[in-house]
Coordinates of all heavy atoms in Angstrom, one line a residue:
M1 N -3.9 -18.9 4.8 CA -4.4 -19.8 3.8 C -4.9 -19.2 2.6 O -4.8 -19.8 1.5 CB -5.6 -20.6 4.4 CG -5.4 -21.5 5.6 SD -4.0 -22.7 5.3 CE -4.8 -23.9 4.4
Y2 N -5.3 -18.0 2.6 CA -5.7 -17.3 1.3 C -4.5 -17.1 0.4 O -4.7 -17.1 -0.8 CB -6.2 -15.8 1.7 CG -7.1 -15.3 0.7 CD1 -8.5 -15.7 0.6 CD2 -6.6 -14.3 -0.2 CE1 -9.2 -15.1 -0.4 CE2 -7.5 -13.7 -1.1 CZ -8.8 -14.2 -1.2 OH -9.6 -13.7 -2.2
A3 N -3.3 -17.0 0.9 CA -2.1 -16.9 0.0 C -1.5 -18.2 -0.3 O -0.9 -18.5 -1.3 CB -1.1 -15.9 0.7
I4 N -1.7 -19.2 0.7 CA -1.0 -20.5 0.6 C -1.7 -21.5 -0.3 O -1.1 -22.2 -1.1 CB -0.8 -21.1 2.0 CG1 0.2 -20.3 2.8 CG2 -0.3 -22.5 1.9 CD1 0.2 -20.6 4.3
L5 N -3.0 -21.4 -0.3 CA -3.8 -22.4 -1.1 C -3.5 -22.2 -2.6 O -3.4 -23.3 -3.4 CB -5.3 -22.3 -0.9 CG -5.7 -23.1 0.4 CD1 -7.2 -22.9 0.6 CD2 -5.4 -24.5 0.3
P6 N -3.4 -21.1 -3.2 CA -3.1 -21.0 -4.7 C -1.7 -21.6 -5.0 O -1.5 -22.2 -6.0 CB -3.1 -19.5 -4.9 CG -4.1 -19.0 -3.9 CD -3.8 -19.7 -2.8
I7 N -0.8 -21.4 -4.0 CA 0.5 -22.0 -4.2 C 0.5 -23.5 -4.2 O 1.0 -24.2 -5.0 CB 1.5 -21.5 -3.2 CG1 1.7 -20.0 -3.3 CG2 2.9 -22.2 -3.2 CD1 2.5 -19.3 -2.2
I8 N -0.3 -24.0 -3.3 CA -0.5 -25.5 -3.2 C -1.2 -26.0 -4.4 O -0.8 -27.1 -5.0 CB -1.3 -25.8 -1.9 CG1 -0.4 -25.6 -0.6 CG2 -1.6 -27.3 -1.9 CD1 -1.1 -25.7 0.7
A9 N -2.2 -25.2 -4.9 CA -3.0 -25.6 -6.1 C -2.0 -25.6 -7.3 O -2.2 -26.5 -8.2 CB -4.1 -24.7 -6.3
S10 N -1.1 -24.8 -7.4 CA -0.1 -24.8 -8.5 C 0.8 -26.0 -8.5 O 1.3 -26.5 -9.5 CB 0.7 -23.6 -8.6 OG 1.5 -23.4 -7.5
K11 N 1.0 -26.6 -7.2 CA 1.9 -27.6 -7.1 C 1.2 -29.0 -7.4 O 1.7 -29.9 -8.0 CB 2.5 -27.7 -5.7 CG 3.3 -26.5 -5.3 CD 4.7 -26.5 -5.9 CE 5.4 -25.3 -5.4 NZ 6.6 -24.9 -6.2
I12 N 0.1 -29.2 -6.7 CA -0.7 -30.5 -6.9 C -1.8 -30.5 -7.8 O -2.5 -31.5 -8.0 CB -1.2 -30.9 -5.4 CG1 -2.2 -30.0 -4.9 CG2 0.0 -31.1 -4.5 CD1 -2.9 -30.5 -3.6
G13 N -2.2 -29.3 -8.3 CA -3.3 -29.2 -9.2 C -4.5 -28.6 -8.5 O -4.8 -28.8 -7.3
L14 N -5.3 -27.8 -9.3 CA -6.5 -27.1 -8.7 C -7.5 -28.0 -8.2 O -8.0 -27.9 -7.2 CB -7.0 -26.1 -9.8 CG -8.1 -25.2 -9.3 CD1 -7.7 -24.3 -8.2 CD2 -8.6 -24.5 -10.6
K15 N -7.8 -29.0 -9.0 CA -8.9 -30.0 -8.7 C -8.6 -30.7 -7.4 O -9.4 -30.8 -6.5 CB -9.2 -30.9 -9.8 CG -10.4 -31.6 -9.7 CD -10.6 -32.4 -11.1 CE -12.1 -32.6 -11.2 NZ -12.4 -33.3 -12.5
R16 N -7.4 -31.2 -7.3 CA -7.0 -32.0 -6.0 C -7.0 -31.0 -4.8 O -7.5 -31.4 -3.8 CB -5.6 -32.5 -6.2 CG -5.5 -33.8 -7.1 CD -4.2 -34.3 -7.0 NE -4.1 -35.5 -8.0 CZ -2.9 -35.9 -8.4 NH1 -1.8 -35.3 -8.1 NH2 -3.0 -36.9 -9.2
C17 N -6.6 -29.8 -5.0 CA -6.5 -28.9 -3.9 C -7.9 -28.5 -3.4 O -8.1 -28.4 -2.2 CB -5.8 -27.6 -4.4 SG -5.4 -26.4 -3.0
I18 N -8.8 -28.3 -4.4 CA -10.2 -28.0 -4.0 C -10.8 -29.2 -3.3 O -11.5 -29.0 -2.2 CB -11.0 -27.6 -5.3 CG1 -10.6 -26.3 -5.7 CG2 -12.5 -27.6 -4.9 CD1 -11.3 -25.9 -7.1
I19 N -10.6 -30.4 -3.7 CA -11.1 -31.6 -3.1 C -10.6 -31.8 -1.7 O -11.3 -32.0 -0.7 CB -10.9 -32.9 -3.9 CG1 -11.7 -32.8 -5.2 CG2 -11.2 -34.1 -3.1 CD1 -11.4 -33.8 -6.2
I20 N -9.3 -31.6 -1.5 CA -8.6 -31.8 -0.2 C -9.1 -30.7 0.8 O -9.3 -31.0 1.9 CB -7.0 -31.8 -0.4 CG1 -6.7 -33.1 -1.1 CG2 -6.4 -31.7 1.0 CD1 -5.1 -33.0 -1.5
T21 N -9.2 -29.4 0.2 CA -9.6 -28.4 1.1 C -11.0 -28.6 1.5 O -11.4 -28.3 2.7 CB -9.4 -27.0 0.4 OG1 -8.1 -26.9 0.0 CG2 -9.8 -25.9 1.2
T22 N -11.9 -29.0 0.6 CA -13.3 -29.2 0.9 C -13.4 -30.3 2.0 O -14.2 -30.2 2.9 CB -14.1 -29.6 -0.4 OG1 -13.9 -28.5 -1.3 CG2 -15.5 -29.8 -0.1
L23 N -12.7 -31.3 1.8 CA -12.7 -32.4 2.8 C -12.3 -31.9 4.1 O -12.8 -32.2 5.2 CB -11.9 -33.6 2.4 CG -12.5 -34.5 1.2 CD1 -11.4 -35.5 0.8 CD2 -13.8 -35.1 1.6
G24 N -11.2 -31.1 4.2 CA -10.7 -30.5 5.4 C -11.8 -29.6 6.1 O -12.0 -29.6 7.2
I25 N -12.5 -28.9 5.3 CA -13.6 -28.0 5.7 C -14.7 -28.8 6.3 O -15.2 -28.6 7.4 CB -14.1 -27.0 4.6 CG1 -13.0 -26.0 4.2 CG2 -15.4 -26.3 5.0 CD1 -13.4 -25.3 2.9
L26 N -15.1 -29.9 5.6 CA -16.1 -30.7 6.1 C -15.7 -31.4 7.4 O -16.6 -31.4 8.3 CB -16.4 -31.8 5.1 CG -17.4 -32.8 5.4 CD1 -18.8 -32.2 5.4 CD2 -17.5 -34.0 4.3
I27 N -14.6 -32.0 7.5 CA -14.2 -32.7 8.7 C -14.1 -31.7 9.9 O -14.6 -31.9 11.0 CB -12.9 -33.4 8.5 CG1 -13.2 -34.6 7.6 CG2 -12.4 -34.0 9.9 CD1 -11.9 -35.3 7.1
S28 N -13.3 -30.6 9.7 CA -13.2 -29.6 10.8 C -14.5 -28.9 11.1 O -14.8 -28.6 12.3 CB -12.2 -28.6 10.5 OG -12.4 -27.9 9.4
G29 N -15.4 -28.7 10.1 CA -16.7 -28.1 10.4 C -17.6 -29.0 11.3 O -18.2 -28.6 12.2
I30 N -17.6 -30.3 10.9 CA -18.4 -31.3 11.7 C -17.8 -31.4 13.1 O -18.6 -31.3 14.1 CB -18.4 -32.7 11.0 CG1 -19.2 -32.6 9.8 CG2 -18.9 -33.8 12.0 CD1 -19.1 -33.9 8.9
T31 N -16.5 -31.4 13.3 CA -16.0 -31.5 14.8 C -16.2 -30.2 15.4 O -16.4 -30.1 16.6 CB -14.5 -31.9 14.7 OG1 -13.8 -30.9 13.9 CG2 -14.2 -33.3 14.1
T32 N -16.1 -29.1 14.7 CA -16.4 -27.8 15.4 C -17.8 -27.6 15.9 O -18.0 -27.3 17.1 CB -16.1 -26.6 14.4 OG1 -14.8 -26.5 14.0 CG2 -16.4 -25.2 15.1
F33 N -18.7 -28.0 15.1 CA -20.2 -27.8 15.5 C -20.7 -28.9 16.4 O -21.7 -28.7 17.1 CB -21.0 -27.6 14.3 CG -20.8 -26.2 13.7 CD1 -20.0 -26.1 12.6 CD2 -21.3 -25.0 14.3 CE1 -19.9 -24.8 11.9 CE2 -21.1 -23.8 13.7 CZ -20.3 -23.7 12.6
L34 N -20.1 -30.2 16.3 CA -20.7 -31.3 17.0 C -19.8 -31.7 18.2 O -20.4 -32.2 19.2 CB -20.9 -32.5 16.1 CG -21.9 -32.3 15.0 CD1 -22.0 -33.5 14.2 CD2 -23.2 -31.9 15.5
I35 N -18.5 -31.6 18.2 CA -17.7 -32.2 19.2 C -17.0 -31.1 20.1 O -17.2 -31.1 21.2 CB -16.7 -33.2 18.5 CG1 -17.4 -34.3 17.8 CG2 -15.8 -33.8 19.6 CD1 -16.5 -35.2 17.0
T36 N -16.2 -30.3 19.4 CA -15.4 -29.4 20.2 C -15.2 -28.1 19.4 O -14.9 -28.1 18.1 CB -14.1 -29.9 20.6 OG1 -13.3 -28.9 21.3 CG2 -13.3 -30.4 19.4
P37 N -15.4 -26.9 20.0 CA -15.2 -25.6 19.2 C -13.7 -25.3 19.0 O -13.4 -24.4 18.3 CB -15.8 -24.6 20.2 CG -15.7 -25.2 21.5 CD -15.9 -26.7 21.3
Y38 N -12.8 -26.2 19.4 CA -11.4 -25.9 19.3 C -10.8 -26.1 17.9 O -9.8 -25.7 17.5 CB -10.5 -26.7 20.3 CG -10.9 -26.3 21.7 CD1 -11.5 -27.2 22.6 CD2 -10.6 -25.0 22.2 CE1 -11.8 -26.9 23.8 CE2 -10.9 -24.7 23.5 CZ -11.5 -25.5 24.3 OH -11.8 -25.2 25.6
T39 N -11.7 -26.8 17.1 CA -11.2 -27.0 15.7 C -11.8 -25.8 14.8 O -11.8 -26.0 13.6 CB -11.8 -28.3 15.1 OG1 -13.2 -28.4 15.4 CG2 -11.1 -29.5 15.8
L40 N -12.2 -24.8 15.4 CA -12.6 -23.6 14.6 C -11.6 -23.0 13.7 O -11.8 -22.5 12.6 CB -13.1 -22.5 15.6 CG -13.6 -21.3 14.9 CD1 -15.0 -21.6 14.2 CD2 -13.9 -20.1 15.9
L41 N -10.3 -23.0 14.2 CA -9.2 -22.4 13.4 C -9.0 -23.1 12.0 O -9.1 -22.3 11.1 CB -7.9 -22.5 14.3 CG -6.8 -21.8 13.5 CD1 -7.0 -20.3 13.3 CD2 -5.5 -21.9 14.4
P42 N -8.9 -24.4 11.9 CA -8.8 -24.9 10.6 C -10.0 -24.8 9.7 O -10.0 -24.6 8.6 CB -8.5 -26.4 10.8 CG -8.7 -26.7 12.2 CD -8.7 -25.4 13.0
Y43 N -11.2 -24.8 10.4 CA -12.5 -24.7 9.7 C -12.6 -23.3 9.1 O -12.9 -23.1 7.9 CB -13.6 -24.9 10.6 CG -15.0 -24.6 10.0 CD1 -15.6 -25.5 9.1 CD2 -15.7 -23.5 10.4 CE1 -16.8 -25.2 8.6 CE2 -17.0 -23.2 9.8 CZ -17.5 -24.1 9.0 OH -18.7 -23.8 8.4
T44 N -12.3 -22.3 9.9 CA -12.4 -20.8 9.4 C -11.3 -20.6 8.3 O -11.6 -20.0 7.3 CB -12.3 -19.9 10.5 OG1 -13.3 -20.2 11.5 CG2 -12.5 -18.4 10.1
S45 N -10.1 -21.0 8.7 CA -9.0 -20.6 7.7 C -9.2 -21.4 6.4 O -8.9 -20.9 5.3 CB -7.6 -21.0 8.4 OG -7.5 -22.3 8.6
L46 N -9.5 -22.7 6.4 CA -9.7 -23.4 5.1 C -11.0 -22.8 4.4 O -11.0 -22.7 3.2 CB -9.9 -24.9 5.4 CG -8.6 -25.6 5.8 CD1 -8.9 -27.1 6.2 CD2 -7.6 -25.6 4.7
G47 N -12.0 -22.5 5.2 CA -13.2 -22.0 4.5 C -13.1 -20.7 3.9 O -13.5 -20.4 2.8
L48 N -12.2 -19.8 4.5 CA -11.9 -18.5 3.9 C -10.8 -18.7 2.8 O -10.9 -18.0 1.8 CB -11.5 -17.6 5.0 CG -12.5 -17.2 5.9 CD1 -11.9 -16.3 7.0 CD2 -13.8 -16.5 5.3
G49 N -9.9 -19.6 3.0 CA -8.9 -19.8 2.0 C -9.4 -20.4 0.7 O -8.8 -20.1 -0.3
I50 N -10.4 -21.2 0.7 CA -10.9 -21.8 -0.5 C -11.5 -20.7 -1.4 O -11.6 -20.8 -2.7 CB -11.9 -22.8 -0.2 CG1 -12.0 -23.8 -1.5 CG2 -13.3 -22.4 0.1 CD1 -12.8 -25.1 -1.2
L51 N -11.9 -19.5 -0.8 CA -12.3 -18.4 -1.7 C -11.2 -17.9 -2.6 O -11.5 -17.3 -3.6 CB -12.8 -17.3 -0.8 CG -14.0 -17.6 0.1 CD1 -14.3 -16.4 1.0 CD2 -15.3 -17.9 -0.8
S52 N -9.9 -18.2 -2.2 CA -8.9 -17.7 -3.1 C -8.7 -18.5 -4.4 O -8.1 -18.2 -5.3 CB -7.6 -17.7 -2.3 OG -7.1 -19.0 -2.0
L53 N -9.3 -19.7 -4.3 CA -9.2 -20.6 -5.5 C -10.3 -20.4 -6.5 O -10.3 -20.9 -7.6 CB -9.2 -22.1 -5.0 CG -8.1 -22.5 -4.0 CD1 -8.4 -24.0 -3.5 CD2 -6.8 -22.4 -4.7
I54 N -11.4 -19.8 -6.1 CA -12.6 -19.6 -6.9 C -12.2 -18.8 -8.2 O -12.6 -19.2 -9.3 CB -13.7 -19.0 -6.1 CG1 -14.2 -19.9 -5.1 CG2 -14.8 -18.5 -7.0 CD1 -15.3 -19.3 -4.2
P55 N -11.5 -17.7 -8.2 CA -11.1 -17.0 -9.5 C -10.4 -17.9 -10.4 O -10.6 -17.9 -11.6 CB -10.4 -15.7 -9.0 CG -10.8 -15.5 -7.6 CD -11.1 -16.9 -7.1
K56 N -9.5 -18.6 -9.9 CA -8.6 -19.5 -10.7 C -9.5 -20.7 -11.3 O -9.3 -21.0 -12.4 CB -7.4 -20.1 -9.9 CG -6.5 -20.9 -10.7 CD -5.4 -21.5 -9.8 CE -4.3 -20.5 -9.7 NZ -3.0 -21.1 -9.2
Y57 N -10.4 -21.2 -10.5 CA -11.3 -22.1 -11.0 C -12.2 -21.6 -12.1 O -12.5 -22.2 -13.1 CB -12.2 -22.7 -9.9 CG -13.2 -23.7 -10.3 CD1 -12.9 -25.0 -10.6 CD2 -14.6 -23.3 -10.4 CE1 -13.8 -25.9 -11.0 CE2 -15.5 -24.2 -10.9 CZ -15.2 -25.5 -11.2 OH -16.0 -26.4 -11.6
L58 N -12.7 -20.3 -11.9 CA -13.6 -19.8 -12.9 C -12.8 -19.6 -14.2 O -13.4 -19.7 -15.4 CB -14.2 -18.4 -12.5 CG -15.2 -18.5 -11.4 CD1 -15.6 -17.2 -10.9 CD2 -16.4 -19.3 -11.9
T59 N -11.6 -19.2 -14.1 CA -10.8 -19.0 -15.4 C -10.5 -20.3 -16.2 O -10.5 -20.3 -17.4 CB -9.5 -18.3 -15.1 OG1 -8.7 -19.1 -14.2 CG2 -9.6 -16.9 -14.6
T60 N -10.5 -21.4 -15.5 CA -10.4 -22.7 -16.1 C -11.7 -23.1 -16.9 O -11.7 -23.8 -17.8 CB -10.1 -23.8 -15.2 OG1 -11.1 -24.0 -14.2 CG2 -8.8 -23.6 -14.5
K61 N -12.8 -22.4 -16.3 CA -14.1 -22.7 -17.0 C -14.5 -21.6 -18.0 O -15.7 -21.6 -18.5 CB -15.2 -22.8 -15.9 CG -15.0 -24.0 -15.0 CD -15.2 -25.3 -15.7 CE -15.0 -26.5 -14.7 NZ -15.1 -27.7 -15.3
N62 N -13.5 -20.8 -18.4 CA -13.7 -19.7 -19.4 C -14.7 -18.6 -18.9 O -15.5 -18.1 -19.7 CB -14.0 -20.1 -20.7 CG -12.9 -20.9 -21.3 OD1 -11.7 -20.7 -21.1 ND2 -13.2 -22.0 -22.1
E63 N -14.8 -18.5 -17.6 CA -15.8 -17.5 -17.0 C -14.9 -16.2 -16.6 O -13.7 -16.3 -16.3 CB -16.5 -18.0 -15.8 CG -17.5 -19.2 -16.1 CD -18.7 -18.7 -16.9 OE1 -19.0 -17.6 -16.8 OE2 -19.2 -19.6 -17.6
K64 N -15.6 -15.1 -16.5 CA -14.9 -13.8 -16.0 C -14.9 -13.8 -14.4 O -15.9 -14.0 -13.8 CB -15.6 -12.6 -16.5 CG -15.4 -12.4 -18.0 CD -15.9 -11.1 -18.4 CE -15.7 -10.8 -19.8 NZ -16.2 -9.5 -20.3
A65 N -13.7 -13.6 -13.9 CA -13.6 -13.6 -12.4 C -13.6 -12.1 -12.0 O -13.5 -11.8 -10.8 CB -12.4 -14.3 -12.0
N66 N -13.8 -11.1 -12.8 CA -13.7 -9.8 -12.5 C -14.8 -9.2 -11.6 O -14.7 -8.4 -10.8 CB -13.7 -8.8 -13.8 CG -12.6 -9.2 -14.7 OD1 -11.8 -10.1 -14.5 ND2 -12.5 -8.5 -15.8
T67 N -16.0 -9.8 -11.8 CA -17.2 -9.3 -11.1 C -17.5 -10.2 -9.8 O -18.6 -10.1 -9.3 CB -18.4 -9.4 -12.0 OG1 -18.6 -10.7 -12.4 CG2 -18.3 -8.4 -13.2
L68 N -16.5 -10.8 -9.4 CA -16.6 -11.8 -8.2 C -16.4 -11.1 -6.9 O -16.7 -11.7 -5.8 CB -15.8 -13.0 -8.4 CG -16.0 -14.2 -7.7 CD1 -17.4 -14.8 -8.0 CD2 -15.0 -15.2 -8.0
G69 N -15.9 -9.9 -6.8 CA -15.4 -9.2 -5.6 C -16.5 -9.2 -4.5 O -16.2 -9.5 -3.4
I70 N -17.7 -8.7 -4.8 CA -18.7 -8.6 -3.7 C -19.1 -9.9 -3.2 O -19.2 -10.1 -2.0 CB -20.0 -7.9 -4.4 CG1 -19.6 -6.4 -4.8 CG2 -21.1 -7.9 -3.4 CD1 -20.7 -5.7 -5.5
A71 N -19.3 -10.9 -4.0 CA -19.6 -12.3 -3.5 C -18.5 -12.9 -2.7 O -18.8 -13.4 -1.6 CB -19.9 -13.2 -4.7
L72 N -17.3 -12.6 -3.0 CA -16.1 -13.2 -2.1 C -16.1 -12.4 -0.8 O -15.9 -13.1 0.2 CB -14.8 -12.9 -2.9 CG -14.5 -13.9 -4.0 CD1 -13.2 -13.6 -4.7 CD2 -14.5 -15.3 -3.5
N73 N -16.4 -11.1 -0.8 CA -16.4 -10.4 0.4 C -17.5 -10.8 1.3 O -17.3 -11.0 2.5 CB -16.5 -8.9 0.1 CG -15.2 -8.3 -0.4 OD1 -14.2 -8.9 -0.3 ND2 -15.3 -7.2 -1.2
I74 N -18.7 -11.0 0.8 CA -19.8 -11.4 1.6 C -19.5 -12.9 2.1 O -19.8 -13.2 3.3 CB -21.1 -11.4 0.8 CG1 -21.5 -9.9 0.5 CG2 -22.2 -12.1 1.5 CD1 -22.7 -9.8 -0.5
G75 N -19.0 -13.7 1.3 CA -18.6 -15.1 1.7 C -17.6 -15.1 2.8 O -17.7 -15.9 3.8
S76 N -16.7 -14.2 2.7 CA -15.6 -14.2 3.8 C -16.1 -13.7 5.0 O -15.8 -14.1 6.2 CB -14.4 -13.4 3.3 OG -14.7 -12.1 3.0
I77 N -17.0 -12.7 5.0 CA -17.7 -12.1 6.2 C -18.5 -13.2 6.9 O -18.4 -13.4 8.1 CB -18.4 -10.9 6.0 CG1 -17.5 -9.7 5.6 CG2 -19.3 -10.4 7.1 CD1 -18.2 -8.5 5.0
G78 N -19.3 -13.8 6.1 CA -20.2 -14.9 6.6 C -19.3 -16.1 7.2 O -19.7 -16.7 8.2
G79 N -18.3 -16.4 6.5 CA -17.4 -17.5 6.9 C -16.7 -17.3 8.2 O -16.3 -18.1 8.9
L80 N -16.5 -16.0 8.5 CA -15.8 -15.6 9.8 C -16.8 -15.3 10.9 O -16.6 -15.8 12.1 CB -15.0 -14.3 9.6 CG -14.2 -13.8 10.7 CD1 -13.2 -14.8 11.1 CD2 -13.6 -12.5 10.4
I81 N -17.9 -14.6 10.7 CA -18.9 -14.3 11.7 C -19.6 -15.5 12.3 O -19.8 -15.6 13.6 CB -19.8 -13.2 11.2 CG1 -19.0 -11.9 11.0 CG2 -21.0 -13.0 12.2 CD1 -19.8 -10.7 10.5
I82 N -20.2 -16.4 11.4 CA -21.0 -17.4 12.0 C -20.3 -18.4 12.8 O -20.7 -18.6 13.9 CB -21.8 -18.1 10.8 CG1 -22.8 -17.1 10.2 CG2 -22.5 -19.3 11.2 CD1 -23.4 -17.4 9.0
P83 N -19.2 -18.9 12.4 CA -18.4 -19.8 13.4 C -17.9 -19.1 14.6 O -17.9 -19.8 15.7 CB -17.2 -20.3 12.5 CG -17.6 -20.1 11.1 CD -18.5 -18.9 11.1
T84 N -17.6 -17.8 14.5 CA -17.1 -17.1 15.6 C -18.3 -17.0 16.6 O -18.1 -17.1 17.9 CB -16.5 -15.7 15.3 OG1 -15.5 -15.9 14.3 CG2 -16.0 -15.0 16.5
L85 N -19.5 -16.6 16.2 CA -20.6 -16.5 17.1 C -20.9 -17.8 17.7 O -21.2 -17.9 18.9 CB -21.8 -16.0 16.3 CG -21.9 -14.5 16.0 CD1 -23.1 -14.2 15.1 CD2 -22.0 -13.7 17.2
Y86 N -20.8 -18.8 17.0 CA -21.1 -20.2 17.6 C -20.0 -20.6 18.6 O -20.4 -21.2 19.7 CB -21.1 -21.2 16.5 CG -21.6 -22.6 17.0 CD1 -22.9 -22.8 17.3 CD2 -20.6 -23.6 17.3 CE1 -23.3 -24.1 17.8 CE2 -21.0 -24.8 17.8 CZ -22.2 -25.1 18.0 OH -22.7 -26.3 18.6
T87 N -18.8 -20.2 18.4 CA -17.7 -20.5 19.4 C -17.9 -19.6 20.7 O -17.7 -20.1 21.7 CB -16.4 -20.2 18.8 OG1 -16.3 -21.0 17.6 CG2 -15.3 -20.6 19.7
I88 N -18.3 -18.4 20.5 CA -18.5 -17.5 21.7 C -19.7 -18.0 22.5 O -19.6 -18.0 23.7 CB -18.7 -16.1 21.2 CG1 -17.5 -15.5 20.6 CG2 -19.2 -15.2 22.3 CD1 -17.6 -14.2 19.9
I89 N -20.8 -18.4 21.8 CA -22.0 -18.8 22.4 C -22.4 -20.2 22.0 O -23.2 -20.5 21.1 CB -23.2 -17.9 22.2 CG1 -22.8 -16.4 22.3 CG2 -24.4 -18.1 23.0 CD1 -23.8 -15.4 21.8
P90 N -21.6 -21.3 22.5 CA -21.9 -22.6 21.9 C -23.2 -23.2 22.2 O -23.6 -24.2 21.5 CB -20.8 -23.5 22.6 CG -20.4 -22.7 23.7 CD -20.6 -21.3 23.5
T91 N -24.0 -22.6 23.2 CA -25.2 -23.2 23.5 C -26.4 -22.4 22.8 O -27.5 -22.7 23.0 CB -25.5 -23.1 25.0 OG1 -25.3 -21.7 25.4 CG2 -24.5 -24.0 25.8
S92 N -25.9 -21.5 21.8 CA -26.9 -20.8 21.1 C -27.8 -21.7 20.1 O -27.2 -22.6 19.6 CB -26.3 -19.6 20.3 OG -25.4 -20.2 19.4
P93 N -29.0 -21.4 20.1 CA -29.8 -22.1 19.1 C -29.4 -21.9 17.7 O -28.8 -20.8 17.4 CB -31.3 -21.7 19.4 CG -31.2 -20.4 20.0 CD -29.8 -20.3 20.7
E94 N -29.8 -22.8 16.9 CA -29.4 -22.6 15.4 C -30.2 -21.5 14.7 O -29.7 -20.9 13.8 CB -29.7 -23.9 14.6 CG -28.9 -25.0 14.9 CD -29.1 -25.8 16.2 OE1 -30.2 -25.5 16.8 OE2 -28.3 -26.5 16.7
S95 N -31.2 -21.0 15.4 CA -31.9 -19.9 14.8 C -31.1 -18.6 14.8 O -31.2 -17.8 13.9 CB -33.2 -19.6 15.7 OG -32.9 -19.3 17.0
I96 N -30.2 -18.4 15.8 CA -29.3 -17.3 15.8 C -28.4 -17.3 14.5 O -28.2 -16.3 13.9 CB -28.5 -17.2 17.1 CG1 -29.4 -16.9 18.3 CG2 -27.4 -16.2 17.0 CD1 -28.7 -16.9 19.6
L97 N -27.9 -18.5 14.3 CA -27.1 -18.7 13.1 C -27.8 -18.3 11.8 O -27.3 -17.8 10.9 CB -26.4 -20.0 13.1 CG -25.6 -20.4 14.2 CD1 -25.0 -21.8 14.2 CD2 -24.4 -19.4 14.4
I98 N -29.0 -18.8 11.7 CA -29.8 -18.6 10.6 C -30.2 -17.2 10.4 O -30.1 -16.6 9.3 CB -31.2 -19.4 10.7 CG1 -30.8 -21.0 10.5 CG2 -32.2 -19.1 9.5 CD1 -31.9 -21.8 10.9
I99 N -30.6 -16.5 11.5 CA -30.8 -15.1 11.4 C -29.6 -14.3 11.0 O -29.7 -13.4 10.2 CB -31.4 -14.6 12.8 CG1 -32.8 -15.2 13.0 CG2 -31.5 -13.0 12.8 CD1 -33.3 -15.0 14.4
T100 N -28.5 -14.6 11.6 CA -27.2 -13.9 11.2 C -26.9 -14.1 9.7 O -26.5 -13.2 9.0 CB -26.1 -14.5 12.1 OG1 -26.4 -14.4 13.4 CG2 -24.8 -13.7 11.8
S101 N -27.2 -15.3 9.2 CA -26.9 -15.6 7.8 C -27.8 -14.8 6.9 O -27.4 -14.2 5.9 CB -27.1 -17.0 7.4 OG -26.2 -17.9 8.1
I102 N -29.1 -14.6 7.3 CA -30.1 -13.8 6.5 C -29.7 -12.4 6.6 O -29.8 -11.7 5.5 CB -31.5 -14.1 7.1 CG1 -31.9 -15.5 6.7 CG2 -32.5 -13.0 6.5 CD1 -33.2 -15.9 7.4
I103 N -29.2 -11.9 7.6 CA -28.8 -10.5 7.8 C -27.6 -10.2 6.9 O -27.6 -9.2 6.2 CB -28.5 -10.0 9.3 CG1 -29.8 -10.0 10.0 CG2 -27.8 -8.8 9.4 CD1 -29.6 -9.9 11.5
L104 N -26.7 -11.1 6.9 CA -25.5 -11.0 6.1 C -25.8 -11.0 4.6 O -25.2 -10.3 3.8 CB -24.5 -12.1 6.4 CG -23.7 -11.9 7.7 CD1 -22.9 -13.1 7.9 CD2 -22.8 -10.7 7.6
L105 N -26.8 -11.8 4.2 CA -27.2 -11.9 2.8 C -28.0 -10.6 2.3 O -27.9 -10.3 1.1 CB -28.1 -13.1 2.5 CG -27.3 -14.4 2.6 CD1 -28.3 -15.6 2.5 CD2 -26.3 -14.6 1.5
T106 N -28.6 -10.0 3.3 CA -29.4 -8.8 2.9 C -28.5 -7.5 2.9 O -29.0 -6.5 2.4 CB -30.6 -8.5 3.7 OG1 -30.2 -8.5 5.1 CG2 -31.6 -9.7 3.7
I107 N -27.3 -7.6 3.5 CA -26.5 -6.4 3.5 C -25.9 -6.0 2.2 O -25.6 -6.8 1.4 CB -25.4 -6.5 4.6 CG1 -26.0 -6.6 5.9 CG2 -24.4 -5.5 4.4 CD1 -24.9 -6.8 7.0

């Protein structure tokens, strides 16, 4: 998805691609955490894939995307670890997810 979403964005437009991807993340995230953990794949792949659109979005707003590397790496690690932990231990309390998020932010 990290390589495919920019191609899709160039075909249908960046704004539409971000909206569609965000809706996909929202729907698959809700179903992952509330209904079934089997929708983790689209949730994780879309969540990490949307990070590839951020530099292109910043350039449309005349911002520099050069210093974005660390934030993208932290976001991708958090986007992979937290849903994976929840899928491995679906009965885990939300406090584990919160603690994991805090640890990732302090690294």
Side-chain angles (χ1 to χ4, degrees):
M1 291 308 283
Y2 201 81
I4 295 171
L5 279 179
I7 296 169
I8 294 172
S10 67
K11 302 280 185 200
I12 66 170
L14 182 63
K15 197 171 200 175
R16 283 185 185 159
C17 187
I18 290 175
I19 291 171
I20 291 169
T21 305
T22 304
L23 289 174
I25 293 168
L26 179 67
I27 292 168
S28 61
I30 289 171
T31 56
T32 296
F33 289 103
L34 296 180
I35 300 171
T36 177
Y38 297 112
T39 56
L40 179 70
L41 183 64
Y43 174 72
T44 304
S45 62
L46 287 173
L48 295 175
I50 201 165
L51 294 175
S52 67
L53 299 176
I54 293 173
K56 188 180 268 193
Y57 176 76
L58 287 177
T59 56
T60 63
K61 298 293 183 185
N62 295 326
E63 296 288 334
K64 287 186 179 180
N66 302 1
T67 58
L68 197 62
I70 294 173
L72 285 176
N73 290 336
I74 291 172
S76 62
I77 290 170
L80 181 65
I81 289 177
I82 293 174
T84 304
L85 282 177
Y86 185 78
T87 303
I88 292 171
I89 314 167
T91 58
S92 64
E94 288 78 14
S95 60
I96 292 175
L97 299 175
I98 293 169
I99 291 169
T100 307
S101 298
I102 292 171
I103 290 170
L104 286 173
L105 290 174
T106 57
I107 292 178

